[in-house]
Amino acid sequence: MNQIESALTGVSEKRLRRLASNYACTDKDFIEALVTMATDRTRGWWEKYRGLLPTPFLDLSELEHHARFLRHVAILYVPGLLQTEDYSRAVFSSRLPELTSDEVELRIQHRKARQEFTTLYEAVIHEAALRIRVSDRAAARAQLTRLLELSEADHITVRVIPFDLDGFATASSTMTYVGGPLPKLDTVVRDAPHGSVLIDPEAQLNVYRTRFRKVEAVSLKPEPSRGFIHKLAKEL
C-alpha cells in the first residue's frame, strides 16, 4: 500500500478489485470509478512540465482536467484560472523564496494552459481580491476587464462579496472544490505556507460543501456582480 500511495507501484484493475474485496467495499459505482481512474493511461498535457515544476502543480492540473465541476472561493487574489498574464506574473514574482525569471515564465505558461478549460466553474471572489493591486493600475484594470469578459462564458459564473455585505463569516481563506466522478471522489485544494494541501475525507468534504453553500448564499448574484466589477474598473 505504501508503494501504491507513493506512486512507486501501479494499480491494475485486478489488484484494485482485490483490494476492494479485502476492505469489504461493496459500492459498485465507487469501485468502477476507481477502476476507470486506475486504468486510464492517457498522457495529459501537464506531463510536459514533469521535472520542471513542483509535483503539486501537476496534481492540480490533473484534478482540474478530470473534474465534473470546479468551485472557488478567493479572498486575496483573483483565481488563477481567471488571471491575466500580467497579473499572474506579478503574483509569481512576489513569491518567497524568490523565483528566477525562467521559473516565473514557466509557471505562467502552465497557468495559461490550465485556463483552456470547459468545465463548469463557479468563482466567489471577495472585494479585497478585486481591489488589491498585485501590480500597477493598468494591470488591475485589465484584470477586472478580463473578469467581465470571462463571466459572460456559459461555463463560468463569477460572484462577488462586497466589503459591506452582511453575513460573511464562513470563509476565512481561499479554497478550490473539485468535483470528482462521484461525490466520494471530490477533493478540496487549500493553499498553505508550505504548498497546496489536498483534502478528501468525506467528513471534511461535507464541511467544505456547506461552507461553499453559505459563501454563495451571501454573495451577489452573477449580474449584480458584473455591475460591481464594472464599477471598480471605472474607478481605476
Side-chain angles (χ1 to χ4, degrees):
M1 287 299 297
N2 287 338
Q3 290 184 325
I4 292 175
E5 292 174 353
S6 301
L8 298 175
T9 300
V11 186
S12 65
E13 178 178 352
K14 183 177 180 180
R15 176 177 291 174
L16 194 151
R17 293 188 184 281
R18 185 184 301 120
L19 285 171
S21 176
N22 291 340
Y23 283 101
C25 177
T26 58
D27 187 332
K28 293 183 179 179
D29 290 339
F30 181 55
I31 294 172
E32 292 306 319
L34 290 176
V35 167
T36 298
M37 294 169 62
T39 56
D40 183 3
R41 297 293 183 263
T42 303
R43 183 177 175 83
W45 63 263
W46 53 87
E47 288 298 333
K48 71 177 183 179
Y49 292 96
R50 190 167 298 280
L52 300 175
L53 289 175
T55 301
F57 281 75
L58 281 63
D59 292 341
L60 179 58
S61 303
E62 187 170 5
L63 275 173
E64 291 172 344
H65 178 77
H66 293 290
R68 291 185 298 118
F69 62 85
L70 296 165
R71 294 169 180 160
H72 194 102
V73 177
I75 308 299
L76 295 178
Y77 296 103
V78 171
L81 291 179
L82 307 179
Q83 291 177 6
T84 64
E85 183 174 331
D86 286 343
Y87 190 101
S88 294
R89 180 172 288 104
V91 171
F92 286 128
S93 296
S94 67
R95 293 290 175 87
L96 294 175
E98 294 181 346
L99 301 171
T100 67
S101 59
D102 287 344
E103 289 173 328
V104 169
E105 293 307 315
L106 195 60
R107 282 159 173 75
I108 291 172
Q109 291 174 22
H110 174 262
R111 179 156 292 181
K112 289 172 68 176
R114 285 176 53 213
Q115 293 173 346
E116 299 295 325
F117 70 96
T118 57
T119 308
L120 290 177
Y121 177 81
E122 184 170 2
V124 181
I125 309 174
H126 197 276
E127 182 179 347
L130 300 176
R131 286 192 176 274
I132 292 175
R133 295 184 193 170
V134 300
S135 183
D136 56 24
R137 184 184 296 269
R141 186 186 300 111
Q143 178 60 76
L144 294 178
T145 300
R146 180 61 175 158
L147 275 178
L148 288 172
E149 293 171 352
L150 291 172
S151 69
E152 297 289 348
D154 292 337
H155 64 296
I156 297 176
T157 300
V158 175
R159 294 174 178 266
V160 173
I161 299 177
F163 280 123
D164 62 357
L165 197 66
D166 295 336
F168 179 70
T170 53
S172 58
S173 58
T174 294
M175 76 165 186
T176 301
Y177 194 101
V178 183
L182 294 173
K184 282 185 177 181
L185 294 172
D186 291 354
T187 304
V188 169
V189 183
R190 296 290 302 274
D191 289 333
H194 59 279
S196 297
V197 177
L198 304 183
I199 301 169
D200 55 19
E202 184 65 20
Q204 294 186 51
L205 289 175
N206 282 329
V207 169
Y208 287 107
R209 289 170 187 144
T210 301
R211 174 175 289 185
F212 187 86
R213 287 198 299 270
K214 288 181 176 292
V215 171
E216 184 181 43
V218 300
S219 63
L220 299 179
K221 293 186 181 301
E223 194 57 39
S225 292
R226 282 193 285 270
F228 190 90
I229 296 171
H230 181 70
K231 175 177 174 291
L232 292 183
K234 287 183 65 177
E235 291 176 4
L236 292 169

